[in-house]
Amino acid sequence: MGIFNKKRGNWVVPKGQELTEMDKKILYYQNKGYTVPRRGLILTPGQIEGVRKAGVVNTGILDLVSEKIHAGMTTNEIDKLVYDYTIAHNATPATLNYVADEKSKLIFPKSCCVSINEVVCHGIPSDDEILEEGDIVNVDVTTILNGYYADASRMFIIGKTTPEKEKLVRVAKECLEIGMKVCEKPYVFVGDIGNAIQRHAHANGFSVVRDLCGHGVGLKFHEEPEVVHYGRKGTGMLLVPGMVFTIEPMINMGTWKVFVDSEDGWTVVTDDELPSAQWEHTFVMTENGVEILTY
Ligand code: MF3
Ligand code: CO
Ligand code: CO
């Protein structure tokens, strides 16, 4: 008799406990072989309120950056704005001294990521980097308040840029909005989001970064599921009420391929060094679809 390894279902209902409507829906998909969340990914209403409060501070930071950002400013000056506002609101910048992988012990030294033009993400603020007219700049901020995490980023155009770069920034924003539209009801899959985003990017002649993705967030900085921005419908994890996650498409003007700058181990750059744009929000899935927690 053969015996084989199989992954146990994520969704477990304790013995003797009556099935809720939500249990029934999730078990339906699980029994059909789809990937479903485990209970640990469902936040309580109290926890969701905690993330919402972190989101209010995070949004305040991005609004401040939006007000102050200008040509001639260094990226470290942006970082100082982020740090000071965060501390003044009794919060902590999640990226400051963040260790992405325990093995490499690589530490991110700043309070936000600032990624200019061909830098896709994880740009490290510096005194030597000065914003110039025509740059397209992503500022990505994650705030921890009372242990809850909110993560969002926006693009800023410095002065006037080229029509192509302007289109890239616009289409990347539309990709986030389209991902959100897919989530206007619960019980959709991560792959449904990715599929819609990929179609929109391609229809506009752009590509989608594959090496980095959105993620579960709220109780931790990075959690399941992986929210990929490309792929097939019905793949990836089922999104059910109570899950908190980001959508953060990185859209490239040229190739989707990227590399990490070996100088610092963080900065992600497009392989052809053509521009890239990204927008990000933190969302909570509800019975009526997603709600943005980082407005
Ligand atoms: N905020 C980024 C995200 O959207 C993560 C930055 S991690 C850092 O997931 F270490 F590079 F800062
Ligand atoms: Co982010
Ligand atoms: Co994120």
Side-chain angles (χ1 to χ4, degrees):
M1 192 183 73
I3 184 161
F4 58 93
N5 294 332
K6 178 170 180 268
K7 191 172 174 292
R8 290 171 73 177
N10 275 336
W11 196 258
V12 180
V13 181
K15 273 215 171 57
Q17 191 168 304
E18 213 175 306
L19 296 185
T20 63
E21 283 311 305
M22 181 157 139
D23 287 330
K24 287 180 196 165
K25 284 192 187 127
I26 296 172
L27 290 173
Y28 166 83
Y29 286 106
Q30 175 159 288
N31 292 336
K32 286 190 148 198
Y34 291 100
T35 306
V36 302
R38 54 189 164 75
R39 269 183 205 276
L41 298 182
I42 316 294
L43 275 65
T44 65
Q47 290 171 327
I48 292 163
E49 280 321 296
V51 184
R52 194 188 301 281
K53 289 196 178 108
V56 170
V57 177
N58 204 68
T59 302
I61 296 168
L62 287 170
D63 287 346
L64 176 67
V65 170
S66 154
E67 215 177 276
K68 303 280 184 192
I69 199 164
H70 62 270
M73 188 181 203
T74 70
T75 53
N76 217 18
E77 289 176 79
I78 297 176
D79 191 68
K80 177 136 174 51
L81 289 175
V82 174
Y83 179 81
D84 289 346
Y85 187 101
T86 307
I87 298 305
H89 289 77
N90 302 313
T92 311
T95 60
L96 186 58
N97 302 321
Y98 174 66
V99 181
D101 117 56
E102 286 298 330
K103 262 186 259 154
S104 73
K105 289 276 181 244
L106 205 56
I107 297 170
F108 194 86
K110 296 287 173 178
S111 300
C112 63
C113 299
V114 182
S115 305
I116 305 174
N117 299 328
E118 71 278 9
V119 176
V120 174
C121 62
H122 305 171
I124 306 174
S126 141
D127 285 326
D128 305 329
E129 196 168 39
I130 299 167
L131 302 183
E132 287 174 20
E133 173 88 12
D135 282 346
I136 57 168
V137 184
N138 176 273
V139 179
D140 191 341
V141 181
T142 309
T143 301
I144 314 172
L145 182 68
N146 301 321
Y148 297 106
Y149 292 71
D151 184 8
S153 80
R154 297 184 198 164
M155 292 300 294
F156 301 99
I157 296 175
I158 307 303
K160 203 173 156 35
T161 195
T162 64
E164 295 94 321
K165 281 161 99 175
E166 211 173 278
K167 179 181 170 195
L168 182 70
V169 170
R170 171 176 58 79
V171 170
K173 188 174 194 193
E174 288 165 1
C175 283
L176 174 57
E177 288 160 357
I178 283 165
M180 186 178 157
K181 185 95 172 53
V182 169
C183 298
E184 64 185 5
K185 58 182 189 323
Y187 304 101
V188 294
F189 292 90
V190 161
D192 304 351
I193 300 174
N195 186 261
I197 288 175
Q198 183 176 30
R199 281 167 192 278
H200 189 64
H202 289 178
N204 282 280
F206 298 142
S207 68
V208 180
V209 172
R210 303 171 81 98
D211 303 63
L212 297 122
C213 57
H215 48 93
V217 68
L219 307 182
K220 289 205 242 168
F221 196 170
H222 294 110
E223 173 64 281
E224 289 182 287
E226 279 192 350
V227 181
V228 295
H229 304 106
Y230 62 92
R232 282 180 298 119
K233 288 185 187 173
T235 60
M237 193 175 280
L238 183 72
L239 298 170
V240 313
M243 288 174 80
V244 175
F245 58 91
T246 73
I247 305 177
E248 48 181 298
M250 286 147 271
I251 306 301
N252 293 354
M253 199 178 279
T255 179
W256 56 271
K257 292 192 180 136
V258 300
F259 68 94
V260 176
D261 186 345
S262 55
E263 289 270 301
D264 60 33
W266 284 104
T267 312
V268 179
V269 185
T270 58
D271 210 37
D272 52 14
E273 299 189 34
L274 287 176
S276 181
Q278 175 181 32
W279 293 79
E280 175 179 25
H281 271 309
T282 294
F283 300 94
V284 58
M285 182 57 86
T286 76
E287 289 294 346
N288 303 309
V290 281
E291 203 185 302
I292 302 178
L293 295 177
T294 42
Y295 253 138

